[in-house]
Amino acid sequence: MSFDEIYNITLMQGFAGLSLFAVLLLMGLGLAIIFGQMGVINMAHGEFMTIGAYTIFLLSSLTESHAPGLMQAYFPFAILCAFIVAFAFGWLAEWALIRHLYKRPLDTLLATWGLSLAMQQAFRTLIGPKEVSPTLPDWLMGSWEVTEGLDIPINGMFVLGLTVLVTGGVLLALYKSRWGLRVRATVANRAMANATGINTTRTDRVTFAIGCGIAGVAGAAFTTIGSTGPTSGSLYIVDAFLVVTFGGAASLWGTVVSAFGIAQTQSISEFFLSGSMAKVLTLLLIVTILMLRPQGLFASKVRR
C-alpha cells in the first residue's frame, strides 16, 4: 500500500471520527450541564438520546405515509421536535424523580439506572424490539469527492454542522442569557444564589430538561449514521461519561476537546487495529492521563 493510499484512508477515518465526535459531544454536553450544576449522575441520559432518534423515525414514517411531498424538508423540523420531546420527558423526570434525590448521589445513580431500564422496556413495548431507521432526505445521501480516492459523506458534514450550531448555541446561552447567568450563579454558590432571589429549584429543572433535550438532538444526529433500537442509547452512555470525566466535570470546553480526542483516537486506531483493541487503546490513554491529571483536562474553579 502506497503512502498516498494510507494518507487518504487515514483522512477518511478521521472524517468518520468526526461523526462519532458529533454524537459524543452532543451527549457529553447534556451530561456536563446536568452534572456540573446539579451533581446528578444521569444513567438514563442515553435513553433520552433514544427518544430523539425514535422521534425522527416516527415523524419520517408519518411524513412518508401522509405527506410524501415533504420528505425533502421534514428533517430539520424533526430535529426540533426531537429536542422538544426529549426536553418534555426530561422536565417530567426531574419533577417526578430527580428533585427528590438531590445531594444523594448514590440514590440518584440507582434511580436513574432503574429509569433507564424502565424506558428501554417501554421502547420495546411501544415500538418493538427490532432496530429501525428513518427514511432520510435525498440531500443527506451520497458523498463529496474532495480528491480522487477521498470521499466525505454528506450526512457526516451535516451532523458536524448541527453539532457546531448546537454547541455554539449552548455556549451563547450560558454566557449571554438570563438562564445562563442563573446557572453560573448556582454552580458558583447555590446558597448565595438562593439568597439573591434566584429560584434554584426551577433553574435545576430547566437545566436538566435542556440537557435531556440536547441528548435528543444527539439521537437525531445518530439516525443519519446508524439504526435505532431500545438499547441504542446505552451503547453510548459509557463513552459520554468518559468524555465528561476526561474533559473535566462542569467544563464545556473540556467536553469539546475530550470528545474530539476520544473520537479521533478510536476511529483512526480502528484502521490499524481491531475495533475492540482500538477501544482498549483509547481507554488506556484516558486512564493514563487521568492518573497524571485526576481533575481532567480543564478543571473548573467552583466555590464550595
Side-chain angles (χ1 to χ4, degrees), residues 54-295:
Y54 275 137
T55 301
I56 298 291
F57 168 72
L58 292 175
L59 286 176
S60 168
S61 301
L62 288 173
T63 304
E64 197 170 18
S65 300
H66 302 288
L70 298 177
M71 282 302 296
Q72 301 305 314
Y74 87 94
F75 199 71
F77 172 74
I79 293 174
L80 179 61
C81 289
F83 174 84
I84 293 172
V85 173
F87 179 97
F89 275 97
W91 181 286
L92 179 63
E94 198 282 339
W95 174 80
L97 181 66
I98 305 299
R99 68 188 177 106
H100 303 293
L101 302 173
Y102 288 136
K103 298 182 180 179
R104 294 158 59 186
L106 181 58
D107 291 348
T108 305
L109 187 149
L110 293 174
T112 54
W113 181 56
L115 177 63
S116 73
L117 296 178
M119 292 173 72
Q120 289 177 22
Q121 189 58 45
F123 297 149
R124 291 189 183 94
T125 302
L126 297 175
I127 300 177
K130 294 183 179 180
E131 292 189 347
V132 295
S133 298
T135 302
L136 298 175
D138 292 338
W139 50 269
L140 272 178
M141 311 304 288
S143 61
W144 172 46
E145 186 176 356
V146 181
T147 60
E148 186 177 353
L150 179 58
D151 296 324
I152 301 176
I154 293 175
N155 60 352
M157 291 191 291
F158 174 81
V159 169
L160 185 60
L162 174 65
T163 303
V164 171
L165 183 65
V166 172
T167 304
V170 170
L171 291 172
L172 192 65
L174 274 176
Y175 293 100
K176 297 295 182 181
S177 71
R178 295 177 66 88
W179 167 75
L181 181 63
R182 295 189 186 102
V183 169
R184 286 182 287 122
T186 304
V187 171
N189 193 317
R190 181 177 291 269
M192 186 62 69
N194 268 319
T196 57
I198 294 176
N199 187 340
T200 56
T201 300
R202 180 178 176 81
T203 301
D204 285 340
R205 188 164 302 158
V206 172
T207 302
F208 188 88
I210 288 176
C212 294
I214 295 173
V217 176
F222 175 76
T223 59
T224 67
I225 60 176
S227 55
T228 305
T231 60
S232 293
S234 62
L235 300 178
Y236 283 87
I237 188 65
V238 174
D239 287 337
F241 274 114
L242 282 177
V243 166
V244 174
T245 305
F246 184 48
S251 172
L252 295 187
W253 288 114
T255 301
V256 175
V257 175
S258 174
F260 182 81
I262 291 174
Q264 289 301 318
T265 301
Q266 187 169 323
S267 180
I268 294 176
S269 298
E270 285 178 354
F271 172 67
F272 301 99
L273 305 169
S274 64
S276 58
M277 287 304 297
K279 191 81 168 179
V280 169
L281 176 62
T282 305
L283 289 173
L284 284 176
L285 288 174
I286 293 172
V287 170
T288 302
I289 294 174
L290 286 176
M291 287 176 66
L292 300 173
R293 190 175 173 81
Q295 69 272 34

